[in-house]
Amino acid sequence: MDIKTATAIRRLRLVSAPEAISFLLLLVCSVLKRTTDFNAVPVMGMVHGVLFVLYVIFWADAWNRTKWSLKTAALYFVLSVLPTGGFFADRRLRREAEDAVIASRARQEGVVGA
């Protein structure tokens, strides 16, 4: 994995968890708006919207650089629209990056079949 691909995956990982947290907070704010006088939906909506747009931009960049299959790319996109999906995306992306580093080191050391 080259440095640009690793950076694209890292950026996607960095925004996936905050995007999931903002989605959950937006849901909580929506419930509070309906049940109390507390209304933070406009603020949380904007925060979540910005993070979601960043996630989609970084997702498209990572898809372009990693050459994911359509199934894998669709999975990461679907995880972005689920309330806790960003946490699962972060975990899968971390595992994918670690596997790529291991394979890269094996290739450098000349291990057969890596």
Side-chain angles (χ1 to χ4, degrees):
M1 177 181 303
D2 66 338
I3 192 72
K4 289 184 179 183
T5 304
T7 302
I9 290 175
R10 180 165 171 75
R11 277 193 307 247
L12 185 58
R13 278 191 60 217
L14 286 174
V15 78
S16 66
E19 191 269 338
I21 291 169
S22 72
F23 195 179
L24 291 173
L25 287 175
L26 180 60
L27 293 174
V28 169
C29 289
S30 295
V31 170
L32 289 176
K33 177 183 177 184
R34 305 282 186 237
T35 58
T36 66
D37 291 334
F38 184 74
N39 185 11
V41 172
V43 173
M44 279 312 302
M46 184 180 65
V47 169
H48 174 66
V50 168
L51 288 171
F52 179 75
V53 168
L54 284 174
Y55 184 95
V56 170
I57 291 170
F58 294 156
W59 166 80
D61 183 41
W63 184 15
N64 182 42
R65 292 188 187 281
T66 59
K67 307 298 186 216
W68 286 327
S69 67
L70 183 60
K71 180 182 172 184
T72 302
L75 172 69
Y76 285 124
F77 186 79
V78 167
L79 286 175
S80 74
V81 296
L82 297 175
T84 57
F87 300 121
F88 295 107
D90 179 48
R91 187 173 14 175
R92 284 184 58 106
L93 288 166
R94 182 180 53 225
R95 201 173 324 132
E96 185 176 325
E98 289 171 353
D99 291 346
V101 167
I102 291 169
S104 175
R105 288 181 182 163
R107 279 191 299 275
Q108 286 176 352
E109 293 176 5
V111 175
V112 177

